[in-house]
Amino acid sequence: MARVALDRVRKVYRNGFEAVKPASFEIADGEFLVLVGPSGCGKSTLLRMVAGLEDITEGSLSINGREVNGVDPAERDIAMVFQNYALYPHMTVRRNIAYGLKNRGMAKDRIAAKVQEAARMLNLTEHLDRKPSQLSGGQRQRVAMGRAIVRDPALFLFDEPLSNLDAKLRNQMRIEVKALQRRLGVTSIYVTHDQVEAMTMADRIIVLNAGRIEQIGTPSEIYHSPASVFVASFMGAPPMNLMRGAIETGAVRLSDGTALMQAPAGRGGAVTLGIRPEDVHVGEGPADFDVALVEELGAHRLLHGEVAGQPFTAHVLKDSPLGPGRHRIGLPAGALSLFDPDTGVRL
Amino acid sequence: MAHIPTTSDRAPAPARLLAAGRRRAPRIRWGGLVDHLVLIAGALFMLAPSLMLLQMSTIPDEQIMRTGPSFQIGDRFLPNLDKALNESMSFSGETTGRNMFRNSMILGFGFAIGKIVIAMMAAYAIVYFRLRFAMLAFWLIFTTLLLPLEVRIVPSYEITQQLGLLNTWTGLIVPLIASATATFFFRQYFLSVPEELVEAARIDGAGPIRFFLDILVPLSRTMVAAMFIIMFVYGWNQYLWPTMISTEEGRFTLVQGIKQITQGLEGGHIPEFGRSNILAILAVLPPVLVVVFFQRWFVKGLTDTDK
Ligand SMILES: Nc1ncnc2c1ncn2[C@@H]1O[C@H](COP(=O)(O)OP(=O)(O)O)[C@@H](O)[C@H]1O
Ligand SMILES: [Mg+2]
C-alpha cells in the first residue's frame, strides 16, 4: 500500500500554459481521494503527473517517502483506469488483463490464477475469451478495473472511469468501485467532474479550479463549510444559494435590508451570503421568498424564485402544500456561510 | 377506408411475417434486375480479353494467324502450358515461365513486404517519438511522393550501378521502395490510434518495441493487408525499372518476358501466341488472387474505425 505526498507540484505545458499551480497535499495509506472540478481545471494533468505519463515541471512527488519524479510509469507500482477504458482491442479479455503481468515476467500458471481471481471478483469469468468490442460499456469498464487489480499495485489512479456509462449503470458501478477499493484497501486517486461521484465515493475531496486547489476536506466539510464561493456553487445539486448582502449596524443583512443574524466581530461592508436550499426554513421567518416555479422531484420538491431580487432555491418535503406565490422564509444563522465578495474566500 | 381486422392481423407474429413474405414474393423488383444486368454486362466486358487469351491458348498458333480469336476450343492448352512453363525463349535457357514467375514473386513480395516494414517503422518513429525535426522529416519523406522512380530514374540507375547492385535483388527492390505512400498511410493510421492505448501499455510495462510488436502491429493488420494489395500489385507490374536493372535473363520477370512476343514477330517466323497468351494469364493471376483474397481486409483497412 502507499502513502503519496505532493510538494508544490506544478505543471507548465510546453506551450507555456500553467495547467496546475503549485499543489501540496498528502494521501494516507488506503485512502480514497477524489479530485473534482469542472472540465479543463487540470485534474487529469495532476493525475497523469502522479502516474508518470506527464513530466512534473516543478516540485516533488513521492510515494512511500521515495521521490519518484523521474521514475518510469511502469516502475511506480501504480495502475490506472482510463475514461475510454483503453483496452487493447485485438486482445481477448484474458490477454488484456494478463498483459501487464506477462510484461513483468510472471510465470504462466501464476498469471492464469491471478486472471481467474480478478475475473471472478468482477463477474467477468464467462467473458474471458471475448474481445472488448463484444462487451457492453459496463463490462469493458470492469475489464479495465481487472487490468488494474491483477497487478496488486500500491496505488490506483482513476481518470473519470464512469463518465462513458449511462446514469443507471454509473450509479451501480460507483458502488462497486468503492466497495472493491474498500475490500482491497488500495490507496486511490479518483478524478471526476461529477460532484455526486465525489461526494459519495470520497474519503477526502480536493476541489480544483483553474489549476488551483480550492479546498481539501471530507465530503461533509466541503459540503457544509465550503472554503470559497466556487466550492459552494460547484458542490451540491442544486448548488448553494449565493446572494449579495452586507454587514451593517451590527447585523448581517440581505440586500433589501432584512437582518438575518448578529454580525461577527470586526467585519463590515459588503459580503456574499450562502445557504444550502435544504437549510432554508420555508413558512416562517424574516425574509420574503417569491416562488415562481415548483420542481417536482418525487421524494422532495424544489421551489425556485427570488429573494431580495436575487435567484433563490429552497428545498421542501414532498407533502409540503407550498406553491407559487410569496412565502416567508427563515435563514438559520448556523447554516449561513459568509464570503468575501471580491476574493470569494470564506470569512 | 377503415381498418378491417383479418385473420392475419390476429395471427401470432411469425405467422404474420410469413404471410407478408408470401405476399411480397411474386413481385419482381425491376430496378434490381436492371442493376444486375448492368453489372453482369460490365463484368463480361472486363473479362473478355482474359477469356480471349484463354481461348487462343487452346488452338495452334497458325490458326490464330489465320482466323484470330474465335469461339473454338482446341486441344493445345496443355502442350502450350508445358511450353510456357518449362521451355526457354532465349539462348541462355533461363527465361522459362517457371523462372520468370518466381522472379516476379520475389519482386512482388520483396517490394510489398520491404515497403510495409520500412513504412511502419518510419511512421512509428514519426508519430510516437518526440524527435527533433520530426515534422521536417515527415515532409521530406512526403515530398518523395512527387518524385516517383520514373522521374528520378537516371540518378537512381547511376547510384545503383555505382553501388554494384545491377542484376541483384537488392538493386531491383530497394530503390523502388523509396517512396512515401505507405509511410503516409501508416502515419495517418497511427495518429488515429487513441493516445490512452500507449499510456496503458506504458503503465503495463511495455517498452517501445513491445508496444510496437504487441499492440501497434496487430492493430494495424487490416491496414497492412490493404497496403499489401496495393504494393504487391504495384511491384508485380513494374516494367521499366526491372528492364534497366535486370539484364541477365535469369532475372527476368513475367512482365518483362512478355515482350518476347513482339521479338518473335520481328524474327519473321510465326510468333508463339499460345505460349505468350499463357504467360500473360500467369502474369495477371497472382495480383487478381491477392486482391480476391485480401479484399475483405482491404475495405476494412481503409474504412475501419473500431480501434
Ligand atoms: N498537452 C497539452 N498542452 C497544452 N495544454 C494542455 C495539454 N493538455 C492539457 N492542456 C490544458 O490544460 C488544462 C487542463 O487539462 P486537463 O488536466 O486535461 O483538464 P481536466 O482533466 O480537468 O478536464 C486544459 O485547459 C487543457 O486545455
Ligand atoms: Mg480530464
Side-chain angles (χ1 to χ4, degrees), chain A residues 106-157:
Chain A
M106 188 182 276
K108 276 217 169 70
D109 48 343
R110 271 200 67 205
I111 295 182
K114 298 212 83 164
V115 170
Q116 279 300 338
E117 189 196 332
R120 198 170 34 77
M121 217 184 279
L122 294 162
N123 281 328
L124 284 171
T125 311
E126 64 262 49
H127 306 305
L128 276 176
D129 292 311
R130 296 219 191 145
K131 296 269 179 68
S133 57
Q134 297 165 302
L135 301 177
S136 70
Q139 288 165 339
R140 286 182 210 186
Q141 184 53 57
R142 286 210 187 90
V143 178
M145 296 280 303
R147 200 165 60 176
I149 64 176
V150 272
R151 297 240 321 274
D152 294 328
L155 180 62
F156 278 149
L157 303 174

Side-chain angles (χ1 to χ4, degrees), chain A residues 40 43-45 83 159-160 191:
Chain A
K43 312 177 290 289
S44 296
T45 306
Q83 173 172 2
D159 194 351
E160 313 218 9
V191 160

Side-chain angles (χ1 to χ4, degrees), chain B residues 74-95:
Chain B
D75 58 355
R76 304 300 307 241
F77 182 74
L78 287 179
N80 274 332
L81 183 65
D82 179 56
K83 241 182 1 175
L85 285 181
N86 299 319
E87 247 177 59
S88 173
M89 284 172 278
S90 62
F91 294 122
S92 68
E94 284 170 328
T95 52

Side-chain angles (χ1 to χ4, degrees), chain B residues 262-284:
Chain B
T262 53
Q263 281 174 353
L265 270 175
E266 285 154 15
H269 45 78
I270 296 179
E272 295 182 282
F273 285 124
R275 166 151 80 166
S276 50
N277 287 343
I278 288 193
L279 285 179
I281 290 171
L282 272 185
V284 171

Side-chain angles (χ1 to χ4, degrees), chain B residues 183-227:
Chain B
T183 311
F184 178 71
F185 276 107
F186 279 115
R187 172 185 179 264
Q188 295 312 101
Y189 185 79
F190 290 170
L191 284 177
S192 73
V193 171
E195 199 158 338
E196 284 85 353
L197 230 46
V198 194
E199 300 180 340
R202 274 183 77 188
I203 292 176
D204 267 344
I209 295 176
R210 272 233 178 96
F211 174 72
F212 185 64
L213 295 179
D214 284 357
I215 292 164
L216 211 51
V217 171
L219 260 187
S220 316
R221 60 194 187 280
T222 52
M223 195 65 193
V224 168
M227 284 296 117

